[in-house]
Amino acid sequence: MRILSIETSCDETGISIIEASDKTITILGNALASQIDIHAQYGGVFPALAKRAHAEKIVPLLTQALTEAQLLEKTNTPADTNLEAKLPSELAFLDQKETELKAHLVPFLATYQKPAIDYIAVTTGPGLEPALWVGINTARALSLIWNIPIIPINHMEGHVLVTLLQEKEEQHEEQRKTQYTLQVLQFPALALLVSGGHTELVLIEDYGSYKKIGQTLDDAVGEAFDKVARVLGVPYPGGPMVSKLAETFRSSSLTQEITLPRPMLHSGDYNFSYSGIKTAVLYKVRDITEAQQSPLTDIQKQMIACAFEDAAIEVLVKKTLRAIDEYQTQTIIVGGGVAANTYLRSTLAQKVPDTTNVLFPEHWLSTDNSVMIAIAAYIRIYTGHNEQKEGAVLTADGNLSITDGGFRK
Ligand code: KG4
Ligand code: ZN
């Protein structure tokens, strides 16, 4: 079966096509465009700008991914320049809020034939609603014109399930990154979800069956990385850069002179709080720069980044270890952009019991992408958990929880 997937929840526009058969997954086409340059000047993601960038990029990416998958063929007739007038009335929704998207989509639909795709998977939440709508409306239009069913997917479930991809052994060099095997998940499993918007511990009782056991009460850990980056004068998105500064300090022989608080480490539950560490960093920087009457030196920046990363990661790891013990889970999944963090990867892998299997996404699939949306859709179909909720309509839901699946009723 072939699945075309769409991801537009935040600042990455992604289109992928996978072919799946039993436990074998082949990535046939994958196109991803980042908006980092657009948002960097503001130090964060602006929803209206994100929406416009998605609307401009999504059709070129669709063309690119389908071409890579060798599934795009022109119609036999010359491009129908008058398609717009003949569009079914169901597509009128594009006129209301998606004029930019429509300007790209209509010529695309007029030029190309329906590709050999069985399902369209699309992220319906959580994320920025104006951004999510671009993906959803693209999916609706393609589904109507091509007559292909839509599978709504929760972005966080994508981050979880993409960790089940294992590189196929004995594959030829040119197949690397394209051929994978799906590993079977042992239940109950635990997921640590860490991104720019989420810090959650989730118990997975079965495919599609999630129970949240704790979450952040304020900022997400990725958000804290990004805010600390701003305080240190590192460009957006700061997570990877703060981590790099921390690594430089850790591998030096310098002595750490700064300790930061570990909020909620001993709270006795699985909740987190990251706004306090960020504020502590802010005060620390203010104290140092006022005392020395000059900006931070490079070494001071590295030292602060390291103190922050140590504190942020220690809380994540300790609470995860406690949950592994309490729920007796043999598999722990780490998903979301912060799963790219090398210090989190090494600390967790080192501290979990020998019997625990730790699953991280491949590095290139850690941050937002559309491959993970296709994988989540396939696993829902494959395991028989693709139930459509009665009365549910396809809608963008910025606060969708992983416990809701792809949509809330
Ligand atoms: O999952 P993601 O790509 O987007 C959201 O759904 O939020 O996660 C992005 C977040 C950002 O906050 C970014 O700074 C953080 O993940 N991040 C990292 C690293 N790479 C990305 N944080 C720490 N260390 C990293 N290496
Ligand atoms: Zn994400």
Side-chain angles (χ1 to χ4, degrees):
M1 123 186 15
R2 294 205 188 103
I3 301 174
L4 182 147
S5 60
I6 304 175
E7 157 65 38
T8 63
S9 69
C10 190
D11 58 352
E12 310 278 336
T13 321
I15 302 278
S16 308
I17 298 116
I18 66 162
E19 182 157 280
S21 168
D22 193 26
K23 294 193 179 61
T24 301
I25 305 279
T26 310
I27 299 172
L28 299 179
N30 182 41
L32 187 71
S34 169
Q35 302 174 7
I36 284 176
D37 294 347
I38 297 171
H39 301 295
Q41 53 188 313
Y42 304 101
V45 182
F46 253 71
L49 287 182
K51 177 192 162 89
R52 198 200 299 161
H54 285 304
E56 276 169 11
K57 284 282 165 63
I58 197 161
V59 175
L61 293 174
L62 192 60
T63 312
Q64 186 189 327
L66 283 165
T67 304
E68 190 187 338
Q70 300 187 320
L71 291 172
L72 203 56
E73 276 183 43
K74 292 203 167 162
T75 51
N76 298 327
T77 49
D80 191 343
T81 48
N82 201 23
L83 182 81
E84 175 149 12
K86 295 183 209 154
L87 281 180
S89 58
E90 294 99 313
L91 281 185
F93 64 86
L94 289 176
D95 284 324
Q96 290 148 16
K97 287 193 175 142
E98 304 285 2
T99 43
E100 174 92 54
L101 172 62
K102 187 178 171 186
H104 295 279
L105 206 48
V106 171
F108 170 84
L109 290 168
T111 309
Y112 298 105
Q113 295 180 32
K114 170 184 174 174
I117 298 286
D118 304 289
Y119 293 94
I120 297 169
V122 64
T123 306
T124 54
L128 304 168
E129 288 185 5
L132 288 162
W133 273 119
V134 178
I136 293 173
N137 282 328
T138 304
R140 285 169 77 193
L142 297 179
S143 167
L144 270 166
I145 301 280
W146 291 342
N147 194 25
I148 297 174
I150 298 180
I151 303 179
I153 293 295
N154 181 302
H155 178 86
M156 299 314 290
E157 185 173 38
H159 276 305
V160 169
L161 295 177
V162 79
T163 62
L164 300 183
L165 286 186
Q166 281 181 315
E167 252 185 68
K168 229 172 148 65
E169 279 167 36
E170 292 175 40
Q171 64 181 324
H172 298 299
E173 199 52 42
E174 70 268 19
Q175 288 175 327
R176 286 204 158 254
K177 298 256 177 249
T178 68
Q179 280 241 349
Y180 291 91
T181 307
L182 272 183
Q183 56 178 300
V184 177
L185 198 49
Q186 305 293 331
F187 302 108
L190 188 74
L192 172 67
L193 298 181
V194 278
S195 71
H198 290 77
T199 308
E200 293 176 355
L201 273 167
V202 175
L203 192 65
I204 311 177
E205 291 166 325
D206 192 358
Y207 291 107
S209 175
Y210 301 96
K211 199 163 121 190
K212 228 181 261 182
I213 60 170
Q215 62 189 320
T216 180
L217 304 179
D218 42 58
D219 290 355
V221 60
E223 189 180 358
F225 267 93
D226 296 337
K227 287 181 175 169
V228 166
R230 229 179 303 167
V231 173
L232 297 180
V234 172
Y236 173 88
M241 268 307 282
V242 168
S243 183
K244 210 175 264 177
L245 292 176
E247 209 49 60
T248 308
F249 186 82
R250 215 172 274 123
S251 57
S252 76
S253 53
L254 299 168
T255 312
Q256 179 61 275
E257 293 163 12
I258 295 168
T259 31
L260 291 169
R262 269 85 170 139
M264 304 196 58
L265 187 60
H266 303 294
S267 62
D269 56 20
Y270 296 109
N271 290 331
F272 301 91
S273 164
Y274 278 99
S275 69
I277 310 189
K278 168 208 70 194
T279 314
V281 168
L282 194 67
Y283 288 151
K284 194 64 83 183
V285 170
R286 198 191 53 188
D287 291 349
I288 296 173
T289 52
E290 275 181 13
Q292 68 192 23
Q293 295 280 303
S294 63
L296 294 176
T297 63
D298 286 348
I299 289 186
Q300 285 171 329
K301 285 185 185 180
Q302 292 160 12
M303 185 184 286
I304 293 169
C306 185
F308 165 74
E309 192 174 62
D310 282 346
I313 302 298
E314 183 179 334
V315 185
L316 289 180
V317 170
K318 290 228 164 117
K319 295 221 171 192
T320 303
L321 292 176
R322 228 167 37 79
I324 291 174
D325 186 45
E326 180 177 342
Y327 293 95
Q328 293 293 304
T329 56
Q330 275 170 15
T331 303
I332 156 91
I333 285 175
V334 187
V338 183
N341 184 279
T342 35
Y343 186 59
L344 172 63
R345 284 179 181 241
S346 59
T347 315
L348 200 60
Q350 188 194 333
K351 300 244 160 115
V352 293
D354 286 347
T355 49
T356 308
N357 187 14
V358 191
L359 303 181
F360 285 102
E362 293 233 353
H363 262 290
W364 74 285
L365 296 169
S366 296
T367 48
D368 288 351
N369 64 86
S370 45
V371 171
M372 67 187 200
I373 303 306
I375 298 299
Y378 178 63
I379 292 177
R380 282 211 166 241
I381 298 166
Y382 185 68
T383 61
H385 288 90
N386 184 34
E387 72 284 349
Q388 302 278 317
K389 289 195 183 171
E390 216 179 304
V393 281
L394 202 61
T395 177
D397 186 343
N399 297 316
L400 196 68
S401 161
I402 191 160
T403 53
D404 299 321
F407 36 32
R408 263 195 280 212
K409 200 168 173 178

